Amino acid sequence: MHEVLAKGILSPKNGMNIYRGCTHGCIYCDSRSKCYGMEHAFEDIEVKINAPQLLEQALRRKKNRCMIGTGAMCDPYLHAEEELRLTRRCLEIIDRYGFGLTVLTKSSRILRDLDLLKSINTQSKCVVQMTLTTHDERLCRIVEPNVSTTAERVAVLRTMRDEKIPTVVWLCPILPYINDSEENLLGILNSCADAGVRGILCFGMGMTLREGDREYYYEALDRHFPGLKEKYISAYGRDYVLESPNSARLMRTFHSFCRGNGIMYRQDEIFAYLSEFPDDCCEQTRLF
């Protein structure tokens, strides 16, 4: 872990990444790809130590309140967050200034900040997003070794349901020949329905691989699934998008389940919901 002084914290679309790199060890992580230009080891977490100060400066300058997002590239609830508490400090600022929040994570550490999530959701809007990939706990420990298990993440979703905080699940990636089964998909979908999720984002039944990510993934396949790397190379070569051979059937199941359970699944509809700041909050801003 190493600290840096960042020049800015918010992207043009109001997203922020407080950390860069990850210690969750997911074997498929796209953020390892060389195209992102990371100049340090992926597990050597870059900490934007001045993130709270930069965020407060940015929010003070904004004429209108909006949704602030975090977690798109690097999880805001890494192991380092337990000690550094930078994510919590940023949430305190978002809460103080009356902005909304969308947060994407794989970690049950988010429950530490439940008080702030509830406060933000009461005065504006908070959406907790959770990535789910495999219903099987044993398999989860292989493909996502250092992060909360699926059962622990589903427990977070249920807590948010009970606290009236809306949730969205990212159903990705689906790894060909590993978790691309009807049983796995229905296990995840049933958990989502039980937890009352608002929407499920699915970008197809498959995964992506590119330089940096591909090599790490194939090394993991050699360790945990001997012979599977050769099957991948034969089926996909060096393709960027690796679609499951079960894709069509699984997508039909996905769409049918979501329609039957009143869960949003259209990507444009979900992203619109995530970025929409409540009108009544905007009205309060104009009044004062």
Side-chain angles (χ1 to χ4, degrees), residues 69-253:
T70 186
M73 278 295 293
C74 293
D75 200 304
Y77 288 99
L78 300 176
H79 300 84
E81 174 61 19
E82 293 183 9
E83 175 186 349
L84 297 175
R85 300 171 70 87
L86 290 175
T87 295
R88 182 171 179 87
R89 288 170 59 191
C90 287
L91 265 57
E92 289 172 341
I93 293 166
I94 291 170
D95 184 39
R96 187 186 317 139
Y97 283 85
F99 281 72
L101 170 72
T102 65
V103 53
L104 173 60
T105 184
K106 293 179 182 174
S107 176
S108 61
R109 292 186 187 90
I110 192 173
L111 292 175
R112 180 202 64 187
D113 296 336
L114 184 59
D115 59 328
L116 289 170
L117 303 177
K118 290 166 62 176
S119 180
I120 293 169
N121 195 50
T122 297
Q123 67 174 327
S124 57
K125 176 182 172 184
C126 175
V127 184
V128 171
Q129 304 172 77
M130 189 69 71
T131 300
L132 300 179
T133 61
T134 176
H135 186 65
D136 184 298
E137 291 288 278
R138 181 195 61 81
L139 183 59
C140 179
R141 273 289 168 243
I142 294 174
V143 300
E144 301 162 333
N146 304 322
V147 70
S148 303
T149 68
T150 299
E152 292 168 337
R153 287 177 242 172
V154 171
V156 171
L157 294 172
R158 291 185 182 129
T159 297
M160 299 303 160
R161 173 201 63 196
D162 295 342
E163 298 292 347
K164 306 294 191 295
I165 297 173
T167 55
V168 167
V169 162
W170 289 58
L171 178 60
C172 61
I174 299 298
L175 310 175
Y177 314 115
I178 296 177
N179 66 343
D180 58 341
S181 67
E182 191 95 2
E183 179 184 9
N184 180 63
L185 176 60
L186 287 173
I188 293 174
L189 293 177
N190 282 316
S191 294
C192 290
D194 178 68
V197 303
R198 184 71 62 92
I200 303 176
L201 273 168
C202 177
F203 303 95
M205 297 296 168
M207 65 181 303
T208 59
L209 285 180
R210 47 189 162 189
E211 187 179 5
D213 175 22
R214 179 182 289 108
E215 291 77 7
Y216 189 85
Y217 183 66
Y218 280 171
E219 288 175 5
L221 292 188
D222 282 340
R223 288 196 306 272
H224 300 293
F225 308 97
L228 189 53
K229 177 182 73 175
E230 288 72 24
K231 190 171 183 178
Y232 267 73
I233 293 171
S234 175
Y236 303 109
R238 294 187 65 82
D239 290 351
Y240 170 55
V241 178
L242 284 62
E243 187 178 61
S244 164
N246 303 324
S247 178
R249 175 170 54 86
L250 294 178
M251 287 304 294
R252 286 194 297 269
T253 298

Side-chain angles (χ1 to χ4, degrees), residues 8-10 16 18 50-61 68 86-87 89-94 97:
I9 194 63
L10 285 185
M16 64 176 178
I18 300 166
N50 58 335
Q53 293 88 344
L54 291 173
L55 178 63
E56 184 160 17
Q57 293 168 12
L59 298 191
R60 280 178 176 172
R61 291 194 298 265
I68 305 298
L86 290 175
T87 295
R89 288 170 59 191
C90 287
L91 265 57
E92 289 172 341
I93 293 166
I94 291 170
Y97 283 85

